[in-house]
Amino acid sequence: MPSVPRIVIVDAAGEVGRIVRGALTLMNRHCILVEVPSPEDALEEIASSNVDLVVTAYRLPGEVHGFDLANQIVHESLETPVIVVAQEHDPRPENPD
C-alpha cells in the first residue's frame, strides 16, 4: 500500500492552506497536511520527518520570504520540491541575465 504524501504548508495567515485543501478535495486526493506559521517551523518539520512537498506563501513573518525559504530548502534538502504562492502585488523574482 503506497504511503500518504506529507505536505508542509507555510503561511501565518492560513490562506495557502485553504487553497491547498480545496485543490486536494477537488482532485479527491488524500494527503497529510502539516500547517506551520514560520520558515523556522517548516525547516524543523523537514528535518524531523519525511516531507513530499512544501507549499509556502511568498509573504512570511520576519525577514525571510517564500523565495528565500525555497532556496534554503533546495540547498538543505535537495529532494523536497517547493511551491511558492504569491499574490498579484508581490514582487516577481529577478531573472538572471
Side-chain angles (χ1 to χ4, degrees):
M1 182 166 143
S3 64
V4 177
R6 184 178 186 87
I7 301 174
V8 173
I9 300 170
V10 190
D11 182 15
E15 295 173 5
V16 173
R18 286 191 292 276
I19 293 168
V20 171
R21 276 192 304 279
L24 291 170
T25 299
L26 285 173
M27 296 185 310
N28 197 28
R29 297 292 304 257
H30 299 285
C31 296
I32 298 170
L33 297 181
V34 179
E35 296 186 54
V36 298
S38 72
E40 297 79 18
D41 292 333
L43 293 170
E44 186 177 307
E45 185 67 34
I46 292 167
S48 67
S49 63
N50 291 331
V51 173
D52 298 294
L53 174 66
V54 174
V55 182
T56 180
Y58 172 79
R59 295 200 183 266
L60 298 170
E63 298 291 322
V64 177
H65 289 294
F67 291 123
D68 300 326
L69 175 61
N71 284 329
Q72 190 169 355
I73 291 170
V74 165
H75 285 81
E76 293 180 12
S77 179
L78 295 174
E79 69 279 352
T80 305
V82 182
I83 297 172
V84 179
V85 178
Q87 296 179 1
E88 184 177 355
H89 61 273
D90 289 334
R92 295 177 185 261
E94 294 181 20
N95 292 326
D97 292 330

